[in-house]
Amino acid sequence: MTQQSQAEKYEFQSEIRQLLNILVYSLYKHKDVFVRELISNAVDALNMVRFESLTREDVEDKDAELRIDIGFNESRKTLIIEDNGVGMTKEELIENLGTIAHSGTMDFLKRLVETEEKDRVDLIGKFGVGFYSSFMAAKEIHLYTRSFRKGSKAWLWKSKGAADYTIEETVKKKRGTRIELFLKKEDKEFLEKTRIQGILARYSKFVPFPVYVENERLEVMEAIWSQPKSSLQEQDYIEFYKFLENTQEEPETWLHLSSDAPVQFSAILYVPKISFEQMGLFKTEPGVDLYSRKVLIEKGSQDIMPEYLRFMQGVIDSEDIPLNISRETIQSNVKIDRIRKYVLKQLLSHLKKIKDKDREQYLRIWSHFSRNLKEGVATDPDNQGKLAPLLLFHSSKKPKDTLLDLKEYAGGMAEDQKEIYYLTGLDLESLEKDPAMEAFREKDLEVLFLDDPLDEFVVEHLREYQGKPFKRAESADIKVKAEKARDKDLQKHAEAFVEYLKVTYGGRVADVRVSERLVDSPCLLVDPSGGPSVHVERILKMAHKDYQFTRKVFEINPDNPLIGEMVRIHAAKPASPLLKELALQLLDNMLLREGVIEDIEAVVPRVQQIMLQAAKAVRTPARKKPSGAKG
Ligand code: ADP
Ligand code: MG
């Protein structure tokens, strides 16, 4: 087949070299995935050429039957997979098989290289490594290809799966790609027709083009999404998902929809089991493919699902979508808009059903896609009402590993409770210990613990749930001490001490007052204005160096022993230098706790100063004194 011509040598991009190195030596137990990968590429190429044929004239072999052929060459010990799809030009060969442009794949490769060998198999199975997986079974690959563009030359790409490959001109009569795999000794099983048929048994029936193994056509199935639900088994949906995604993983759940009026469409939508985003990998690209009368119009359409549901996979097919539709028209097409709205509504209610019926399954979905749903609350105001019930939160009244939804929170509200209380923090431990919780515990009120930075944006966007506004716990007007009678003297001295603190703190706080919400803790910073939480403020500060933290109200609790002591010192010795140090440290402790301290340099020397005084006091015990006197 080859012509006498100069083969040019090219190096693989270094990432591919690393990948090949891993593949060649990995003992991957599902080696046969390479067959699926190659078929999947053939399907892509056939879909593309079908689309091109519909939209332009100058297509080589325009009327040829679109098909995939699998054959064997006994003497060369090769497996051959051929399609008459779009094929590739020389430039495309270099671009598509010599480099990886896709940033997601790059991300994945980096992760793969860093992953320990024993865990790699798992990762490869989840992600798939495309064309290169063939080198798990082949010691050499010859790929002949000719582009569908009229008058294109044919090229032969050869590689042994190491550092480089060659390209030379060749002769190939028909458009498309023919891949010849020279199998490794231990992988000769792939030379058996029955083995290949076995691999393709379930899979190939979803291939939307005829597949022939040595000219024998494999069993096919009409597009699964256009069939009545009653004719499909659970296994059909699972296998179709594996086909679509080229994965070994099963889907978490799916939804099969169809409608005839007002718009005709049918769809199968899948929620995957895992989120690559959640694994810290790349941002997922939209995964729902758009079909018109079983012809693929757009793979991973950006416009059929809102961006936050990019993790969804599947197909939507509608007779009402014109074949030659462009991206712009997809966005503005009234019928597509209807489909989009209908599908979204069904999907959100499907998720809600799972949440209400099978919390365990929903928790799995939540653990992977919670951030997407939260993103939806912020970006899809029209559907907030449907997204809100899907949200789950930690709460002050639930064990750490339990999440509750807003309905459950509302069900536990006190009769006269008008607001939904929440507290934001970095983790549940610090939220538990937050002094702002004391009043709520005392009054037996439940507080949502928002430990994900996104949560605060979520409640800000929601504003309320069933007429009950969200309220930050530390800004809530909750009193536990109002009626409690306090020692008259202590009360009077405490008020004087408050004045003293105001002067001592200068402009660093908005106000100082005696707290009516603290039970045990000495003090608390509250923000009655309801401005951004410290949490958000810290993010703002990171983004803008000169961002000024909001000044808070400093509340003190005279019933706390430390504050009580300080009040008494103040009553007896208002000019005490130690009292001033203690007062300054009291405020800084709170600012430190919230991570919003500005003058960190002053803290350590001051604490040391206070420690010195404490140490001296141990060596020279204070004289016996009447309570409430001298410090
Ligand atoms: P992916 O399919 O995810 O893009 P692959 O590694 O499977 O990644 O394939 C890399 C690229 O090589 C494809 O995107 C495509 O451009 C090209 N390619 C592979 N196989 C074929 C084929 N049979 N016909 C045309 N192009 C192909
Ligand atoms: Mg592929």
Side-chain angles (χ1 to χ4, degrees):
M1 211 161 180
T2 36
Q3 205 184 32
Q4 273 306 91
S5 80
Q6 204 56 36
E8 290 174 58
K9 196 163 167 176
Y10 299 86
E11 297 247 307
F12 282 117
Q13 192 184 3
S14 64
E15 284 79 7
I16 298 184
R17 288 207 301 268
Q18 279 179 322
L19 172 65
L20 288 168
N21 201 32
I22 290 173
L23 289 176
V24 170
Y25 297 105
S26 80
L27 299 165
Y28 189 45
K29 58 176 182 277
H30 304 291
K31 256 190 192 179
D32 53 5
V33 291
F34 82 89
V35 180
R36 290 175 166 217
E37 293 284 355
L38 295 183
I39 300 275
S40 139
N41 287 346
V43 170
D44 290 347
L46 290 165
N47 269 322
M48 279 191 244
V49 88
R50 176 160 64 182
F51 189 76
E52 295 290 349
S53 307
L54 286 166
T55 49
R56 57 198 273 180
E57 276 308 312
D58 55 338
V59 170
E60 192 80 49
D61 309 323
K62 202 171 189 328
D63 301 314
E65 179 202 18
L66 300 176
R67 59 187 274 167
I68 297 169
D69 279 279
I70 301 177
F72 311 93
N73 186 319
E74 290 298 331
S75 55
R76 282 158 73 90
K77 299 268 181 285
T78 57
L79 166 67
I80 298 158
I81 298 180
E82 178 164 15
D83 66 70
N84 57 352
V86 275
M88 284 176 270
T89 61
K90 185 180 175 185
E91 291 67 38
E92 285 167 340
L93 264 179
I94 296 171
E95 172 82 24
N96 298 341
L97 296 183
T99 63
I100 292 175
H102 196 267
S103 61
T105 313
M106 286 293 251
D107 255 21
F108 165 75
L109 288 182
K110 283 197 194 101
R111 174 68 72 94
L112 189 67
V113 170
E114 290 160 6
T115 302
E116 278 188 45
E117 196 158 335
K118 62 176 171 48
D119 300 323
R120 277 182 184 159
V121 165
D122 200 36
L123 207 55
I124 292 175
K126 284 196 173 87
F127 191 81
V129 283
F131 174 79
Y132 307 101
S133 61
S134 325
F135 284 108
M136 291 193 290
K139 56 177 190 279
E140 184 169 352
I141 293 176
H142 291 179
L143 181 146
Y144 305 84
T145 189
R146 194 167 145 230
S147 167
F148 71 97
R149 291 173 194 86
K150 272 217 156 95
S152 295
K153 287 180 179 171
W155 300 99
L156 169 56
W157 179 100
K158 285 184 185 170
S159 176
K160 291 200 163 81
D164 49 32
Y165 59 93
T166 61
I167 297 181
E168 63 205 88
E169 206 176 324
T170 187
V171 177
K172 187 179 186 303
K173 290 216 184 70
K174 292 181 183 153
R175 71 155 194 242
T177 303
R178 173 186 163 91
I179 302 171
E180 184 173 24
L181 302 122
F182 293 78
L183 296 166
K184 294 180 186 170
K185 244 201 219 91
E186 63 273 27
D187 296 311
K188 292 279 153 61
E189 60 185 274
F190 300 112
L191 286 177
E192 287 161 29
K193 186 175 176 183
T194 49
R195 175 77 171 103
I196 295 295
Q197 282 171 328
I199 297 172
L200 293 179
R202 280 193 172 137
Y203 177 84
S204 65
K205 68 180 178 194
F206 303 112
V207 175
F209 304 96
V211 180
Y212 298 84
V213 181
E214 293 196 307
N215 283 320
E216 189 186 322
R217 189 168 171 175
L218 295 178
E219 189 200 331
V220 286
M221 190 175 187
E222 261 288 274
I224 165 171
W225 57 87
S226 60
Q227 296 183 34
K229 279 191 210 178
S230 56
S231 72
L232 295 166
Q233 309 279 321
E234 191 159 287
Q235 205 55 30
D236 293 323
Y237 291 106
I238 294 174
E239 294 299 331
F240 181 57
Y241 174 79
K242 291 182 173 179
F243 164 77
L244 271 183
E245 286 309 291
N246 244 328
T247 177
Q248 308 284 318
E249 291 276 323
E250 297 196 353
E252 181 64 56
T253 178
W254 61 85
L255 193 61
H256 188 173
L257 301 169
S258 60
S259 151
D260 285 321
V263 200
Q264 190 287 329
F265 83 92
S266 49
I268 300 183
L269 298 168
Y270 293 96
V271 176
K273 268 206 163 71
I274 48 167
S275 155
F276 290 111
E277 284 184 22
Q278 192 89 356
M279 286 168 72
L281 285 165
F282 50 92
K283 185 169 171 187
T284 311
E285 280 179 18
V288 177
D289 304 336
L290 199 56
Y291 282 75
S292 161
R293 297 164 198 265
K294 295 168 198 150
V295 173
L296 181 63
I297 301 295
E298 199 188 5
K299 218 177 159 158
S301 168
Q302 309 249 345
D303 309 299
I304 197 70
M305 285 260 154
E307 153 102 21
Y308 61 93
L309 294 177
R310 56 188 172 274
F311 62 88
M312 294 295 301
Q313 307 286 348
V315 300
I316 296 181
D317 189 338
S318 170
E319 285 175 8
D320 293 320
I321 300 174
L323 273 175
N324 54 357
I325 195 164
S326 67
R327 276 268 338 255
E328 296 73 54
T329 1
I330 293 180
Q331 283 164 357
S332 58
N333 184 299
V334 182
K335 287 180 171 166
I336 295 185
D337 193 49
R338 285 212 164 146
I339 298 174
R340 190 190 292 128
K341 286 198 175 116
Y342 180 80
V343 166
L344 181 59
K345 194 172 147 207
Q346 295 297 318
L347 174 67
L348 296 179
S349 91
H350 180 70
L351 291 175
K352 183 163 182 301
K353 258 182 238 154
I354 295 178
K355 191 206 67 182
D356 294 336
K357 280 194 190 141
D358 186 347
R359 187 56 67 94
E360 209 171 296
Q361 179 178 26
Y362 188 71
L363 285 172
R364 284 202 300 273
I365 297 174
W366 180 253
S367 75
H368 284 280
F369 304 106
S370 57
R371 304 202 119 216
N372 295 80
L373 298 174
K374 290 174 187 179
E375 194 182 314
V377 172
T379 56
D380 187 2
D382 293 345
N383 288 296
Q384 267 179 9
K386 295 196 179 67
L387 286 160
L390 297 177
L391 301 171
L392 297 180
F393 299 95
H394 288 286
S395 118
S396 61
K397 283 194 178 181
K398 292 276 181 305
K400 274 198 187 83
D401 53 357
T402 308
L403 292 162
L404 87 173
D405 65 16
L406 291 171
K407 193 173 162 197
E408 286 154 355
Y409 178 91
M413 279 169 78
E415 223 163 281
D416 56 346
Q417 187 181 336
K418 295 193 177 60
E419 293 161 324
I420 299 174
Y421 303 114
Y422 69 92
L423 206 54
T424 55
L426 287 178
D427 51 61
L428 296 177
E429 286 71 27
S430 63
L431 284 163
E432 289 277 358
K433 291 188 193 123
D434 197 307
M437 274 309 299
E438 289 182 355
F440 291 87
R441 272 201 202 96
E442 189 82 2
K443 295 214 139 188
D444 195 32
L445 292 169
E446 187 164 26
V447 177
L448 296 177
F449 282 166
L450 311 190
D451 60 334
D452 175 357
L454 275 185
D455 287 343
E456 185 165 351
F457 295 105
V458 166
V459 294
E460 250 160 45
H461 278 278
L462 283 181
R463 289 168 184 280
E464 53 148 63
Y465 174 75
Q466 294 185 344
K468 308 250 195 287
F470 287 95
K471 186 79 182 173
R472 185 128 31 81
E474 66 264 37
S475 318
D477 184 22
I478 297 287
K479 299 187 170 95
V480 290
K481 291 280 183 60
E483 314 85 28
K484 215 184 210 179
R486 204 175 262 138
D487 183 318
K488 266 240 169 76
D489 254 9
L490 181 60
Q491 185 68 28
K492 199 179 83 204
H493 288 318
E495 269 149 32
F497 183 54
V498 161
E499 293 310 313
Y500 167 84
L501 288 180
K502 282 185 194 169
V503 176
T504 308
Y505 294 157
R508 294 177 68 202
V509 294
D511 199 6
V512 182
R513 66 186 177 214
V514 172
S515 181
E516 291 176 335
R517 72 179 84 209
L518 287 174
V519 182
D520 298 317
S521 297
C523 51
L524 177 66
L525 283 168
V526 298
D527 176 19
S529 72
S533 74
V534 278
H535 211 61
V536 167
E537 285 204 285
R538 274 197 302 263
I539 296 171
L540 290 171
K541 182 77 178 179
M542 266 190 267
H544 312 280
K545 252 192 158 337
D546 37 286
Y547 174 82
Q548 298 274 325
F549 291 111
T550 340
R551 290 179 314 145
K552 301 283 174 62
V553 174
F554 191 69
E555 291 193 355
I556 56 161
N557 173 17
D559 300 328
N560 169 279
L562 173 61
I563 301 294
E565 238 7 88
M566 289 172 74
V567 168
R568 289 184 190 99
I569 297 174
H570 178 256
K573 246 177 121 180
S576 156
L578 177 62
L579 179 64
K580 187 171 178 195
E581 304 279 271
L582 289 173
L584 290 172
Q585 192 55 39
L586 202 60
L587 174 60
D588 280 355
N589 283 350
M590 297 316 284
L591 297 174
L592 273 173
R593 186 180 185 282
E594 302 200 333
V596 298
I597 190 146
E598 305 254 21
D599 186 15
I600 190 107
E601 277 72 32
V603 173
V604 172
R606 188 193 305 125
V607 169
Q608 284 167 349
Q609 185 56 38
I610 295 169
M611 287 168 76
L612 174 65
Q613 307 267 351
K616 278 185 180 164
V618 174
R619 277 218 323 141
T620 34
R623 285 163 281 127
K624 261 213 158 162
K625 58 186 178 187
S627 72
K630 328 248 155 184

